[in-house]
Amino acid sequence: MRDLDNLCINCFKELTEGAVCSECGYDNEKEADFVYLAPKTLLQERYAVGAVQSHDSDSVTYSGYDTQLDKRIVIREFYPKGIASRLEGNKVLHIRQRFANEIEGYKRSFFNLWSTLEKMHSLSAVVPVYDVFEENATAYAIIEYMDSIPLREYLIRNEEGIISWDSARLMFMPVLTTIESLHENGIIHGSITPDSLMLCRDGKVRLKPFCIQECADSTTSLEFVETAGYTAIEQYNNAHKICPATDIYAFSACIYRALVGTNPPDCVSREANDKLMIPNSIAEKIPMHVIKALGSGLQIYPEKRIKSVSDFRELLDASPAVQARADSVEDTYDKRIDRERYVDYSKLDNSHNKRSRIAIAVLAILIILAIGAGIYVVKFTDLIKPQETTAPVTEQAQTFEVPSIAGNGFTQSDVQNNGAWNQQFNISFTEDYSKDAEKGIIFKQSIKAGEKVEQGTELILTVSKGIQTAEVPDVSGKTLDEAKKMLEDLGFKVSTVEVYNDGSHTPGTVKASSGTAPAQGETVAVGEEILVQVYGEVQTTTTQPSTQADNN
């Protein structure tokens, strides 16, 4: 066994330049929080505990080191947030009294989850689990460490922020097999997101170590963390049961994000306004059967959603046996699509759909996909290749080129989950209304893309609040100045037109009825022009009597 005192507790490489690791930059003299296991604590007299990586709803994740196999590992400790704590100098968890009756059930779920995953080594999308055991009155899982990046970060690194269906198919389809096996073993993941799907060095996509099912239910005592756009309605509301369709919803949302470039609207808002939007320029590149599969997987209520992973896989594959069924899936979205800017699923060119099915069936596409897979693995390997680190030779501040964020479909969560950007810049967010950017999309940045600035420079990103609207007030009978002030205070532009005054109205006042267009009470976009009709001066005419003589 190597001398633990000479290893970095974060990456477990040799320390060669003092306490700060030359490999990962971790400061090994950083004071550890006593509520977690002390660094270099041995579990089962074999597994050395390292630095804390995260504290999730049900457990803490540590870096770890297997002293017998001389390799880096990941250690997961059952440690439910808000329910358990650890007193200084004590390895045993302290459970809050009010949760004493629940804790054993949660710990049993944790042990069963990881014991099941330990038996699933053959599945390509599961990070291998080596050992599961109880110690310190809690439970632990020992997991293989794998170099990886989250799917969200990979997508952000792509020039367009999206990938093609051919690439997505290679990435996502093997994961469905793993999810299906989880379901067959009674496990619902409950938190599949672009952050929990990890792209590993070998080119495979794997499910990040995840929490027990009770964490995915807002009605339990465990901390419930939602991910807007990916959390299904049944996780908020126990009127609907969490089931395999819960994972299908989240997985469909991940495919949507990869193909479209934005998160789908969250399910709660979709109850009031069920609209899934795909720009025409993107939709025309997605096979119709994939769009229909996503439509079925993203149904709001689980009772209407596709029920099993095998059926969902068939829809995505567009196999002949299910093509008729795919065509008959009720297209509930066509009546909710903004027809001026977004595709109507039900009216896409049938020839496009036919070409997609034929292309999938042709043997040549399999060859292309195989080549694409090789290119993808090479490309991805370059992306996650560890950065070479060198000791700074001067104290000059590093400079970084400001990326192009505004106008490229990025959301606030996309930026917050990009570790590189947050290390390079001091990023903050503000909100404002926009006529052009959808709600939640970043449309303005304080520093132009391409400019080079020092590390830590403040970069302010403006997130769209959507189109601001206001109700047109009743200005009838008011003077023009009064009416203009009321309207302009609400953000409207005002133009006027003079209308005939028969003498029964005060000149310079707004028409008594239908005085504006749009009319009072209508909700319109702020900044829109309001036409105000104003009575003019009273006009009088004098008709001269006829002086022509009657010759008869």
Side-chain angles (χ1 to χ4, degrees):
M1 182 178 77
R2 289 192 294 170
D3 181 8
L4 293 176
D5 290 335
N6 198 40
L7 297 181
C8 171
I9 63 170
N10 185 58
C11 68
F12 287 91
K13 298 289 182 66
E14 296 283 346
L15 291 173
T16 58
E17 300 177 4
V20 177
C21 180
S22 60
E23 291 286 339
C24 68
Y26 186 83
D27 183 358
N28 284 264
E29 291 184 346
K30 178 182 178 182
E31 185 176 357
D33 193 331
F34 70 83
V35 301
Y36 302 116
L37 289 175
K40 301 174 185 176
T41 296
L42 280 180
L43 301 172
Q44 300 287 286
E45 300 182 353
R46 173 179 177 177
Y47 307 113
V49 173
V52 173
Q53 303 299 306
S54 64
H55 192 169
D56 300 311
S57 180
D58 71 338
S59 54
V60 174
T61 301
Y62 303 88
S63 290
Y65 171 64
D66 187 334
T67 61
Q68 290 186 14
L69 298 180
D70 186 22
K71 64 183 296 184
R72 183 177 177 181
I73 56 173
V74 174
I75 299 174
R76 191 89 161 178
E77 178 186 40
F78 175 67
Y79 191 153
K81 191 183 291 187
I83 291 178
S85 59
R86 181 174 272 122
L87 304 179
E88 189 169 6
N90 197 333
K91 295 180 183 179
V92 177
L93 290 181
H94 172 71
I95 308 302
R96 293 171 59 187
Q97 184 61 39
R98 59 176 291 205
F99 301 108
N101 295 330
E102 303 173 52
I103 196 71
E104 283 303 316
Y106 295 148
K107 185 170 75 172
R108 188 163 53 251
S109 292
F110 179 91
F111 193 90
N112 291 341
L113 167 64
W114 293 103
S115 296
T116 300
L117 293 174
E118 185 181 10
K119 302 171 185 175
M120 299 171 70
H121 273 270
S122 61
L123 295 175
S124 64
V126 170
V127 178
V129 179
Y130 292 138
D131 200 359
V132 183
F133 55 87
E134 293 191 50
E135 193 172 334
N136 302 328
T138 187
Y140 297 88
I142 306 300
I143 308 162
E144 180 178 338
Y145 171 78
M146 305 189 82
D147 283 332
S148 62
I149 60 171
L151 171 65
R152 188 186 300 278
E153 184 176 342
Y154 173 77
L155 293 173
I156 290 174
R157 289 187 186 188
N158 273 270
E159 184 176 352
E160 296 181 356
I162 61 175
I163 56 177
S164 67
W165 169 241
D166 286 345
S167 296
R169 188 176 184 278
L170 292 172
M171 293 167 58
F172 287 115
M173 297 305 280
V175 183
L176 282 176
T177 301
T178 295
I179 296 173
E180 185 175 23
S181 294
L182 291 174
H183 293 170
E184 289 171 353
N185 284 276
I187 297 173
I188 306 296
H189 189 292
S191 55
I192 299 173
T193 70
D195 299 304
S196 64
L197 290 173
M198 310 299 294
L199 275 71
C200 301
R201 183 177 291 279
D202 59 6
K204 294 180 180 178
V205 178
R206 290 180 170 87
L207 288 166
K208 179 182 178 180
F210 49 94
C211 299
I212 60 177
Q213 181 176 324
E214 288 88 341
C215 300
D217 186 344
S218 64
T219 64
T220 71
S221 299
L222 293 173
E223 181 185 57
F224 171 67
V225 180
E226 67 170 307
T227 304
Y230 302 88
T231 303
I233 194 72
E234 57 268 26
Q235 295 175 261
Y236 298 94
N237 185 349
N238 60 8
H240 304 279
K241 185 179 178 181
I242 292 177
C243 59
T246 304
D247 285 341
I248 292 173
Y249 183 93
F251 196 72
S252 299
C254 290
I255 298 176
Y256 180 98
R257 167 64 184 87
L259 300 180
V260 179
T262 60
N263 298 328
D266 70 271
C267 60
V268 176
S269 67
R270 286 179 59 204
E271 279 197 293
N273 180 21
D274 186 9
K275 180 182 289 187
L276 287 176
M277 300 178 291
I278 301 180
N280 280 312
S281 59
I282 294 176
E284 64 187 12
K285 301 175 184 177
I286 305 174
M288 172 60 82
H289 67 273
V290 175
I291 291 179
K292 288 191 174 183
L294 295 181
S296 184
L298 286 170
Q299 289 283 335
I300 297 177
Y301 302 112
E303 298 84 1
K304 296 183 178 181
R305 210 175 299 149
I306 195 163
K307 299 298 188 294
S308 71
V309 170
S310 60
D311 287 345
F312 184 58
R313 183 193 295 108
E314 288 182 336
L315 287 179
L316 287 173
D317 273 337
S319 60
V322 297
Q323 188 59 51
R325 185 177 357 145
D327 290 339
S328 67
V329 171
E330 181 182 3
D331 191 350
T332 57
Y333 301 110
D334 59 336
K335 59 190 177 185
R336 293 185 292 270
I337 301 298
D338 181 342
R339 300 178 189 277
E340 293 183 0
R341 297 182 57 197
Y342 296 96
V343 64
D344 182 340
Y345 296 156
S346 66
K347 296 182 179 178
L348 282 179
D349 187 353
N350 288 331
S351 63
H352 170 80
N353 185 20
K354 182 177 180 181
R355 287 195 302 272
S356 298
R357 294 199 301 270
I358 294 174
I360 292 174
V362 176
L363 179 62
I365 198 67
L366 298 179
I367 299 173
I368 294 172
L369 290 178
I371 296 172
I375 294 172
Y376 162 77
V377 172
V378 172
K379 180 180 177 182
F380 172 71
T381 301
D382 290 339
L383 281 176
I384 66 173
K385 187 180 299 180
Q387 297 294 319
E388 295 183 2
T389 57
T390 57
V393 294
T394 67
E395 295 184 358
Q396 183 176 356
Q398 282 186 285
T399 61
F400 294 95
E401 183 174 309
V402 177
S404 178
I405 300 175
N408 283 312
F410 293 122
T411 65
Q412 180 171 337
S413 62
D414 290 337
V415 175
Q416 289 173 329
N417 286 314
N418 188 305
W421 288 348
N422 285 278
Q423 289 180 1
Q424 294 165 0
F425 313 102
N426 178 17
I427 299 177
S428 60
F429 299 87
T430 185
E431 291 186 327
D432 201 357
Y433 293 101
S434 169
K435 295 186 299 180
D436 304 314
E438 297 171 18
K439 183 177 180 181
I441 300 299
I442 295 169
F443 70 100
K444 188 186 300 182
Q445 57 189 78
S446 59
I447 305 174
K448 290 182 179 180
E451 289 190 20
K452 291 187 177 181
V453 298
E454 290 187 356
Q455 183 175 9
T457 298
E458 184 179 28
L459 176 61
I460 304 172
L461 303 178
T462 305
V463 181
S464 173
K465 294 166 67 175
I467 299 175
Q468 184 181 12
T469 60
E471 185 177 292
V472 178
D474 180 10
V475 294
S476 59
K478 298 185 179 299
T479 66
L480 177 58
D481 288 342
E482 291 172 339
K484 285 185 66 174
K485 185 176 187 312
M486 287 180 63
L487 293 167
E488 289 174 348
D489 285 349
L490 291 172
F492 297 118
K493 297 176 182 178
V494 178
S495 61
T496 61
V497 60
E498 186 173 290
V499 295
Y500 173 73
N501 185 353
D502 63 0
S504 61
H505 306 285
T506 303
T509 59
V510 178
K511 188 179 176 184
S513 61
S514 302
T516 60
Q520 68 178 66
E522 288 188 28
T523 300
V524 297
V526 168
E528 187 170 330
E529 183 179 59
I530 305 296
L531 180 65
V532 180
Q533 302 180 78
V534 182
Y535 291 115
E537 293 293 335
V538 178
Q539 296 183 8
T540 59
T541 58
T542 304
T543 303
Q544 295 295 327
S546 174
T547 59
Q548 182 177 357
D550 186 355
N551 293 324
N552 292 324

